[in-house]
Amino acid sequence: VQLQASGGGLVQAGGSLRLSCAASGRTFSRYAMGWFRQAPGKEREFVAAISWSGGSTYYADSVKGRFTISRDNAKNTVYLQMNSLKPEDTAVYYCAAVSGDYSINPRVYDYWGQGTLVTVSS
């Protein structure tokens, strides 16, 4: 699976962005998907995940109620809608795919996109 993340940019605090992750290669619908982020000088952290069917989602406490993960298996794409953005959300955001159940542990994911930078100004 090849993953291509897009949609990052510069936004003011309180604003919104929608990230997309387009997949190609093996059957996208067989994979659970996750979004992770990495801020400068910090470790990569879990943001959100969604099951292969889209029927189950999970969020980090820091984004719960503000971010929404979704997927369109017909378009081989997973999305991350980010609302009420805060300066602490500034990071490079990565999408990842795993052939089993989703996880908050980045080490279990099989494939990674290249990352897209989100910058939230105060």
Side-chain angles (χ1 to χ4, degrees):
V1 175
Q2 291 81 44
L3 303 174
Q4 180 73 36
S6 62
L10 174 63
V11 63
Q12 290 188 333
S16 299
L17 281 175
R18 189 177 81 156
L19 305 184
S20 299
C21 177
S24 60
R26 296 174 183 257
T27 305
F28 175 70
S29 61
R30 295 180 181 176
Y31 292 84
M33 300 294 295
W35 284 97
F36 293 79
R37 66 187 181 187
Q38 189 165 17
K42 295 187 177 181
E43 293 186 352
R44 191 168 298 188
E45 66 172 358
F46 170 78
V47 175
I50 189 166
S51 62
W52 65 270
S53 67
S56 177
T57 58
Y58 189 74
Y59 297 91
D61 288 343
S62 58
V63 307
K64 199 173 296 182
R66 300 188 298 123
F67 290 11
T68 302
I69 189 171
S70 62
R71 67 190 295 161
D72 186 338
N73 286 343
K75 295 182 178 180
N76 286 0
T77 303
V78 63
Y79 304 97
L80 185 67
Q81 177 67 44
M82 305 185 295
N83 299 329
S84 302
L85 283 161
K86 304 175 181 180
E88 51 263 44
D89 294 317
T90 295
V92 177
Y93 282 71
Y94 299 89
C95 58
V98 59
S99 58
D101 294 334
Y102 60 68
S103 171
I104 66 171
N105 184 353
R107 296 182 181 181
V108 307
Y109 285 78
D110 303 306
Y111 304 98
W112 289 84
Q114 85 290 357
T116 184
L117 176 63
V118 172
T119 304
V120 184
S121 63
S122 58

